[in-house]
């Protein structure tokens, strides 16, 4: 096999198209082209071609993952799923995830900790719903538990505070005492808080505190 042509790509001048035996073989970044010392007329055996192709795929998969992470923190599974959607090989995905984990770009405990903080303080969600959403994003039970353990302060108190905020925001300027006297309205409010992930004890405590303030 021999490189018969190397042309600069029109849509991305930083990348080049490499042709082997007059057929397109792969696209490669200019820096990688220099790194592999590729030139027209160069002979390539199957092993070297395979290594070059893997290196090219790894580099593009890595760049795609970094770009995805640039939009916000992601769980390891989210990054894996995104790279799978782009049809990178399992080997490339594994190596990219390992690299990003080693360099601190991927950390499911840190991700879960930030997620818990946002959902508790901003969205006023309860622990049960937060844990459900983290599981859906592929965060393991161990990492979820560790994240809650790492959060300073009393998690139960934080959950209660979030429940009170959610309740007050829902009723706005309405008289809670009057709502409590209406069984149907009371059930609606309790169901609302349950859907946000609060357990029955936390919901009852939230009502008790809201009624006395």
């Amino acid at each position: 096999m021999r490189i018969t042509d190397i042309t600069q790509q029109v849509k991305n001048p930083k990348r080049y198209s490499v042709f082997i035996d007059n057929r397109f073989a792969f696209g490669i970044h200019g820096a990688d082209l220099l790194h592999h010392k590729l030139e027209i007329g160069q002979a390539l055996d199957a092993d070297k071609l395979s290594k070059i192709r893997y290196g090219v795929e790894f580099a593009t998969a890595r760049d795609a993952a970094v770009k995805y992470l640039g939009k916000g923190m992601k769980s390891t599974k989210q990054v894996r799923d995104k790279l799978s959607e782009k049809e990178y090989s399992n080997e490339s995905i594994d190596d990219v995830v390992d690299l990003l984990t080693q360099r601190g770009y991927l950390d499911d405990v840190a991700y879960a900790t930030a997620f818990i903080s946002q959902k508790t303080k901003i969205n006023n969600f309860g622990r049960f719903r937060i844990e459900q959403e983290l599981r859906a994003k592929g965060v393991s039970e161990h990492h979820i538990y560790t994240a809650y353990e790492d959060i300073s302060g009393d998690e139960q108190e934080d959950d209660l505070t979030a429940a009170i905020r959610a309740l007050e925001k829902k009723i706005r300027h309405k008289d809670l005492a009057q709502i409590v006297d209406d069984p149907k309205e009371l059930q609606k409010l309790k169901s609302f808080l349950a859907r946000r992930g609060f357990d029955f004890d936390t919901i009852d405590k939230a009502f008790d505190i809201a009624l006395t303030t």
Side-chain angles (χ1 to χ4, degrees):
M1 294 179 290
R2 191 174 300 276
I3 297 176
T4 51
D5 200 5
I6 299 175
T7 60
Q8 191 174 36
Q9 295 182 359
V10 176
K11 292 184 178 180
N12 187 351
K14 293 182 179 180
R15 291 183 62 81
Y16 292 78
S17 296
V18 178
F19 294 81
I20 295 178
D21 297 336
N22 297 315
R23 292 184 177 182
F24 173 77
F26 53 84
I28 188 170
H29 194 279
D32 293 323
L33 185 72
L34 294 174
H35 172 74
H36 290 291
K37 300 178 181 178
L38 301 180
E39 57 186 24
I40 297 174
Q42 181 179 357
L44 297 174
D45 58 29
D47 183 56
K48 184 168 185 179
L49 178 58
S50 177
K51 288 180 179 178
I52 292 173
R53 278 178 165 158
Y54 173 74
V56 169
E57 184 187 58
F58 171 81
T60 55
R62 177 202 60 208
D63 293 346
V66 170
K67 183 178 180 180
Y68 183 49
L69 288 169
K71 297 177 181 179
M73 290 182 70
K74 308 293 180 185
S75 69
T76 300
K77 184 178 184 300
Q78 286 177 305
V79 172
R80 284 187 176 278
D81 289 347
K82 175 60 69 173
L83 295 180
S84 293
E85 288 175 11
K86 294 180 177 293
E87 299 184 345
Y88 292 111
S89 68
N90 290 334
E91 183 181 7
S92 291
I93 293 173
D94 287 343
D95 288 346
V96 168
V97 167
D98 286 345
L99 175 67
L100 295 177
T101 300
Q102 291 170 11
R103 295 190 176 180
Y105 289 99
L106 279 179
D107 184 335
D108 277 1
V109 173
Y111 171 78
T113 301
F115 188 89
I116 291 166
S117 179
Q118 176 188 349
K119 294 297 180 179
T120 302
K121 297 177 181 177
I122 298 177
N123 299 98
N124 299 322
F125 284 174
R127 180 164 179 166
F128 180 73
R129 178 163 174 178
I130 292 171
E131 289 182 351
Q132 275 189 319
E133 293 194 4
L134 283 171
R135 291 188 198 100
K137 295 178 184 298
V139 181
S140 70
E141 295 288 345
H142 172 70
H143 288 150
I144 294 172
Y145 175 81
T146 302
Y148 268 108
E149 287 294 301
D150 286 348
I151 294 174
S152 60
D154 186 344
E155 287 82 27
Q156 185 63 36
E157 183 176 318
D158 289 340
D159 217 37
L160 177 57
T161 301
I164 295 170
R165 285 199 303 264
L167 176 60
E168 292 175 342
K169 185 175 181 180
K170 181 67 174 177
I171 64 175
R172 296 187 183 276
H173 302 297
K174 295 179 182 178
D175 187 344
L176 181 58
Q178 290 183 357
I179 294 175
V180 170
D181 288 336
D182 185 333
K184 288 185 179 180
E185 291 300 316
L186 176 61
Q187 185 57 46
K188 285 181 182 179
L189 268 182
K190 288 192 173 184
S191 295
F192 164 75
L193 291 176
R195 288 194 299 273
R196 296 186 81 83
F198 300 106
D199 59 41
F200 296 136
D201 288 341
T202 301
I203 292 172
D204 288 340
K205 289 179 181 177
F207 270 94
D208 289 343
I209 293 174
L211 284 167
T212 57
T213 56

